Amino acid sequence: MVPLLLILAVTVTMFRIGDPCCLLLLCLLAGLGWKRPCFRLSGIDVALVCICLYDAVDFCLHPYRGAEAAEASLTGLCCYFLIRSAPAEGFLKLLLLPVGAALALTFVSFGMFAGAVQGAGFADTYPFRFLFRPLGYITNAWASVWLAVLGLLAVGYVRVPRWRIGFGLCWMAVSVALLLSFSRGAFLAWGVCALLTLFALRSWKLRATLLAACLCIGAGICLLFPAETATTLAMNKTASQRQSTESRVNATEKAIDVWRVHPWTGTGNGSYTLSMDKALNEDTTRAYTTYAPNPVVQLLVEKGMAGIVLYGGLYIAVLVQWWKNRKDETACIVAACLIAVGLKEMTMSIALADAVVLVLLYVLLGILDKETQMNADFRRLDNNKKSAFICANLRFLPLSVIGIACIIGFNIVNFRVRKDKEITKQAVEALEGKRYAEAAALLEKVSERKPAVINRAVLAAFIPDSLLPEGYAARVEKDLAREDDGTDVYVAYLQARLEAKRGDFVSAIGKLQGLAEAYPRNATFAYELGCMLFTTADTESHREIKNECPQFANVGAYRIRPDAPTYPRGRFRAYAIRPYRQFGKMRTFIIKNPQCASISSVVNETVCLLRRALQLSPRLLHTERMLAILASDSLFKEQVTGGLASGLVEMEQTANAYARAGSLAYYQGKPDEAEDYLRKAVAEQPGYTVPWLLLGRISEAEGREEEAASCYRKYNLRVKGAFSNSDKAMERESMELTEQEVLLKDYAVKFQNWYRARLLL
């Protein structure tokens, strides 16, 4: 029974089989209750139990955010006790079944991936490795799974001599699958794992066999994929590698500042990305990642010093247990695997985020903690089996009570999350059908959680009040203020939009100025502030003209901007004034000692903000408000859009900057300049999406049909993925979004990760 339960746990977690009712955890607890393992508690036992209790308490404090971590921790602990209570050989034999199936899917998917990349015209698959997602895992996470499996297969190779050929062949296949991730951390960790396993083996024959297998694997990967291997081993050769290294260092530095706010208890399980967002992720040009750069950073942010103490105690207990059994071959092999996984984790923290890695590591720890049979101390102290039975029950009772209570809690949370998602889906459908009152009514049915309040605020902020129930925006604004705890910066952004809707521009602009100054790389905040300043400048301009030129007091709203150099001695300045409510020609007036210099500075600030927003996100050039602003004033348009692309390249000479500059130049009708920038972008980073589309359009417009088709194929690869057989040319950008979607597209991804809910727009 024990091997079957363990294989069930590995299969469910590895293949990500949905288990909303927590039936797996219930089966594991039932298995423990029937088995009632009785053995002397070790240091590893105590450390793992303390970690599980901490996660359970955190789940009680943060039920929606901490549920996944608590469930993974409890599942891993049950697997650990099960492997401690029975011989591991049966489990290791059965492990070949899910591993073989996963290997088959991995190699098939890699073949399709490589074929799609080569079919699109690329010889090197390295820039597109993120499209290779076996079983839905990113390559870095999949490599961590295979590293833990390598340790179990090596143990089986030693402990089950009759199955040695099967374990050996499977070990080699897993090594190949791991190296096909072309991850720097995976390459390094695999080398360390193979080397330490080589020293752990006691037989010279087995050592020679392992060494020959490693040489064959390495030579085969180098011969079949020379470019990818060379790039991976170069470590910092490509722009993406350099950016990845830089982002990991930056994240580690920023985590220290976040940790100082909650030094002892941290911010709670599952809160790493939310806590680090303000310090790290508010950059429109950077992709959002859900993984921490290393487990130390994640522990500091989520669990504080308490987590460091708990996992430090586990590390010491593992070290002590290995030292006690250092002459045992199995213990040394497990230790080699744990060291390799730890090294891989220092390049990206996977074990604390993916349940399968945690379960596999707990199984390895159970194998390392060798006392799997009934402890002799119990039999020596009391030969009566009843005493041992009572002792086993006393040990199992707290775990069963905690486990059942957690299962009930997990089911309640999962039920609410599913119900909220279904209602939100219906609200989205109503919104798409322009049934705004129905969408508002549906959102009122969602549970009173922070994501529900934010979704209501999104609806109130982007939909006119006349289309919503009376007083809806005012009620939502009060609810949003109640939920504002300072962690989610987009709450302040939505508050600013709601304040602007009811006419409080002073407070709205103040909030947006704070956001734009704190997060200068966020295009949404710069764009919103620039548009709001442009809109409110009409009222201020009218007030200044009324003071300086009373004869124009009744003309209406004006736009004022410097149109000529300061006259000698600085006493006069020329201003071009256009009456917005009268369709007259532009007129120039000489205003003596103008008081409207402040308006000039506002206009200059507006220009800078809109230029920054466009350079960060060229998509904003097509939003309704931006098009209306640029169409209203030709001189203002020139100030905003003049030299956008060249100015961007002067500030940032990166592949990402060249891609954005190329998009801006293309949208402004400068195909030659755009092509130059876009060629530079894809030369350094072929994995970009929009540059290939725009290059295809430019080539097609100039009659280069073959080149255009090639660019469209590469664009299709990036948009449709590596597993689509469609070669139909996509001549339009696939994500022509509305203004709301452009402004909130980055936030939508974070929202799903933070709150386990869907953003309305």
Side-chain angles (χ1 to χ4, degrees), residues 318-391:
V318 170
L319 192 62
V320 169
Q321 189 65 27
W322 169 77
W323 182 256
K324 288 180 179 178
N325 303 294
R326 61 188 181 277
K327 295 183 179 181
D328 181 75
E329 194 173 25
T330 300
C332 291
I333 290 174
V334 172
C337 180
L338 293 175
I339 292 173
V341 173
L343 181 63
K344 174 66 175 59
E345 287 289 295
M346 292 307 294
T347 64
M348 182 176 285
S349 181
I350 305 296
L352 296 177
D354 279 303
V356 59
V357 181
L358 196 67
V359 167
L360 291 172
L361 289 179
Y362 274 47
V363 171
L364 281 168
L365 291 176
I367 294 175
L368 176 65
D369 212 348
K370 288 187 60 177
E371 296 173 342
T372 56
Q373 66 276 3
M374 181 74 73
N375 184 22
D377 291 343
F378 285 110
R379 295 194 298 269
R380 187 170 59 251
L381 292 174
D382 187 1
N383 291 324
N384 189 351
K385 294 183 179 180
K386 184 176 180 180
S387 299
F389 177 78
I390 294 174
C391 183

Side-chain angles (χ1 to χ4, degrees), residues 671-679 695 698 702 704 707:
D672 294 336
E673 181 182 356
E675 184 172 10
D676 180 53
Y677 290 139
L678 294 171
R679 294 287 181 194
L695 285 171
I698 293 171
E702 296 179 356
R704 295 174 284 167
E707 186 175 349

Side-chain angles (χ1 to χ4, degrees), residues 590-749:
I590 303 300
I591 301 178
K592 182 179 179 180
N593 297 326
Q595 298 296 323
C596 46
S598 60
I599 298 188
S600 173
S601 65
V602 170
V603 173
N604 289 336
E605 182 183 359
T606 304
V607 170
C608 293
L609 288 168
L610 293 180
R611 285 179 64 87
R612 186 205 307 173
L614 292 175
Q615 288 176 337
L616 290 171
S617 179
R619 289 184 189 274
L620 292 171
L621 197 58
H622 296 297
T623 59
E624 294 179 5
R625 276 193 292 173
M626 181 63 73
L627 291 174
I629 288 173
L630 298 181
S632 66
D633 194 322
S634 58
L635 183 55
F636 187 80
K637 177 180 179 180
E638 177 60 30
Q639 290 176 323
V640 172
T641 61
L644 263 180
S646 58
L648 172 60
V649 171
E650 288 176 4
M651 290 187 297
E652 306 176 43
Q653 294 185 354
T654 63
N656 189 284
Y658 283 124
R660 287 180 277 132
S663 299
L664 288 169
Y666 177 82
Y667 294 142
Q668 291 180 281
K670 304 174 183 177
D672 294 336
E673 181 182 356
E675 184 172 10
D676 180 53
Y677 290 139
L678 294 171
R679 294 287 181 194
K680 291 180 180 178
V682 297
E684 191 169 352
Q685 183 55 275
Y688 283 146
T689 305
V690 176
W692 289 117
L693 171 69
L694 300 183
L695 285 171
R697 289 179 178 175
I698 293 171
S699 301
E700 188 176 26
E702 296 179 356
R704 295 174 284 167
E705 298 294 339
E706 186 176 344
E707 186 175 349
S710 175
C711 292
Y712 285 140
R713 283 197 301 271
K714 294 170 181 176
Y715 174 72
N716 286 347
L717 171 70
R718 185 62 182 88
V719 171
K720 298 178 182 179
F723 307 107
S724 173
N725 294 323
S726 175
D727 280 335
K728 183 179 178 181
M730 298 179 66
E731 300 178 3
R732 290 177 33 169
E733 192 171 341
S734 64
M735 295 178 66
E736 293 180 350
L737 308 176
T738 63
E739 181 180 47
Q740 295 92 324
E741 291 168 332
V742 172
L743 294 176
L744 298 176
K745 62 184 177 67
D746 292 334
Y747 180 56
V749 181

Side-chain angles (χ1 to χ4, degrees), residues 238-259:
T238 66
S240 62
Q241 287 178 330
R242 293 191 294 271
Q243 181 177 327
S244 176
T245 303
E246 178 187 348
S247 64
R248 284 178 169 86
V249 174
N250 187 36
T252 303
E253 294 174 351
K254 298 294 184 183
I256 302 300
D257 299 330
V258 175
W259 164 71

Side-chain angles (χ1 to χ4, degrees), residues 171-288:
W171 191 94
M172 294 178 66
V174 167
S175 296
V176 172
L178 187 151
L179 295 178
L180 288 179
S181 66
F182 299 115
S183 164
R184 295 173 292 174
F187 271 53
L188 186 61
W190 178 80
V192 170
C193 181
L195 183 63
L196 294 179
T197 304
L198 192 69
F199 286 111
L201 294 173
R202 297 291 182 259
S203 168
W204 284 102
K205 181 180 179 180
L206 295 182
R207 289 180 178 178
T209 303
L210 176 62
L211 181 60
C214 291
L215 292 176
C216 290
I217 292 169
I221 294 293
C222 291
L223 289 175
L224 293 175
F225 306 98
E228 293 87 342
T229 305
T231 304
T232 305
L233 294 176
M235 296 296 174
N236 257 1
K237 179 181 179 181
T238 66
S240 62
Q241 287 178 330
R242 293 191 294 271
Q243 181 177 327
S244 176
T245 303
E246 178 187 348
S247 64
R248 284 178 169 86
V249 174
N250 187 36
T252 303
E253 294 174 351
K254 298 294 184 183
I256 302 300
D257 299 330
V258 175
W259 164 71
R260 287 171 179 161
V261 181
H262 304 279
W264 296 108
T265 59
T267 56
N269 287 334
S271 64
Y272 169 78
T273 52
L274 175 59
S275 302
M276 292 288 290
D277 182 65
K278 295 189 292 184
L280 188 66
N281 294 325
E282 288 301 332
D283 187 343
T284 303
T285 64
R286 294 290 181 93
Y288 174 73

Side-chain angles (χ1 to χ4, degrees), residues 416-728:
R416 289 181 178 177
V417 168
R418 291 197 304 273
K419 182 179 177 182
D420 290 351
K421 286 183 178 179
E422 183 61 31
I423 296 175
T424 305
K425 182 181 178 181
Q426 295 174 7
V428 170
E429 293 173 353
L431 194 62
E432 291 173 348
K434 298 185 178 179
R435 303 189 303 274
Y436 302 113
E438 181 183 343
L442 285 168
L443 289 177
E444 293 293 336
K445 298 179 182 179
V446 179
S447 59
E448 289 294 330
R449 292 198 294 140
K450 187 174 182 178
V453 176
I454 293 175
N455 269 330
R456 294 169 195 156
V458 169
L459 183 67
F462 287 94
I463 302 301
D465 289 340
S466 59
L467 300 176
L468 296 172
E470 185 178 356
Y472 183 81
R475 294 197 307 272
V476 168
E477 190 173 354
K478 291 181 181 178
D479 294 339
L480 194 63
R482 185 186 68 246
E483 294 290 343
D484 184 16
D485 56 5
T487 55
D488 190 342
V489 297
Y490 273 81
V491 171
Y493 166 69
L494 293 173
Q495 286 177 327
R497 284 203 55 122
L498 291 171
E499 289 170 350
K501 280 189 69 177
R502 60 179 170 82
D504 189 359
F505 289 102
V506 175
S507 178
I509 289 176
K511 280 187 173 63
L512 289 173
Q513 283 177 333
L515 291 173
E517 291 173 3
Y519 313 108
R521 300 285 296 177
N522 187 302
T524 297
F525 302 152
Y527 170 83
E528 196 68 56
L529 178 58
C531 291
M532 199 171 293
L533 288 175
F534 184 90
T535 303
T536 56
D538 278 345
T539 306
E540 297 299 325
S541 301
H542 190 194
R543 186 182 299 117
E544 296 296 345
I545 290 179
K546 184 176 180 179
N547 293 336
E548 294 297 328
C549 307
Q551 67 272 30
F552 299 106
N554 298 320
V555 170
Y558 296 86
R559 178 70 56 208
I560 299 184
R561 62 197 184 286
D563 193 34
T566 305
Y567 278 76
R569 301 181 185 178
R571 293 179 299 170
F572 303 95
R573 186 179 296 275
Y575 283 84
I577 303 177
R578 180 195 298 279
Y580 266 52
R581 296 177 190 170
Q582 294 182 0
F583 298 96
K585 294 183 178 180
M586 182 74 70
R587 302 180 63 185
T588 301
F589 298 90
I590 303 300
I591 301 178
K592 182 179 179 180
N593 297 326
Q595 298 296 323
C596 46
S598 60
I599 298 188
S600 173
S601 65
V602 170
V603 173
N604 289 336
E605 182 183 359
T606 304
V607 170
C608 293
L609 288 168
L610 293 180
R611 285 179 64 87
R612 186 205 307 173
L614 292 175
Q615 288 176 337
L616 290 171
S617 179
R619 289 184 189 274
L620 292 171
L621 197 58
H622 296 297
T623 59
E624 294 179 5
R625 276 193 292 173
M626 181 63 73
L627 291 174
I629 288 173
L630 298 181
S632 66
D633 194 322
S634 58
L635 183 55
F636 187 80
K637 177 180 179 180
E638 177 60 30
Q639 290 176 323
V640 172
T641 61
L644 263 180
S646 58
L648 172 60
V649 171
E650 288 176 4
M651 290 187 297
E652 306 176 43
Q653 294 185 354
T654 63
N656 189 284
Y658 283 124
R660 287 180 277 132
S663 299
L664 288 169
Y666 177 82
Y667 294 142
Q668 291 180 281
K670 304 174 183 177
D672 294 336
E673 181 182 356
E675 184 172 10
D676 180 53
Y677 290 139
L678 294 171
R679 294 287 181 194
K680 291 180 180 178
V682 297
E684 191 169 352
Q685 183 55 275
Y688 283 146
T689 305
V690 176
W692 289 117
L693 171 69
L694 300 183
L695 285 171
R697 289 179 178 175
I698 293 171
S699 301
E700 188 176 26
E702 296 179 356
R704 295 174 284 167
E705 298 294 339
E706 186 176 344
E707 186 175 349
S710 175
C711 292
Y712 285 140
R713 283 197 301 271
K714 294 170 181 176
Y715 174 72
N716 286 347
L717 171 70
R718 185 62 182 88
V719 171
K720 298 178 182 179
F723 307 107
S724 173
N725 294 323
S726 175
D727 280 335
K728 183 179 178 181

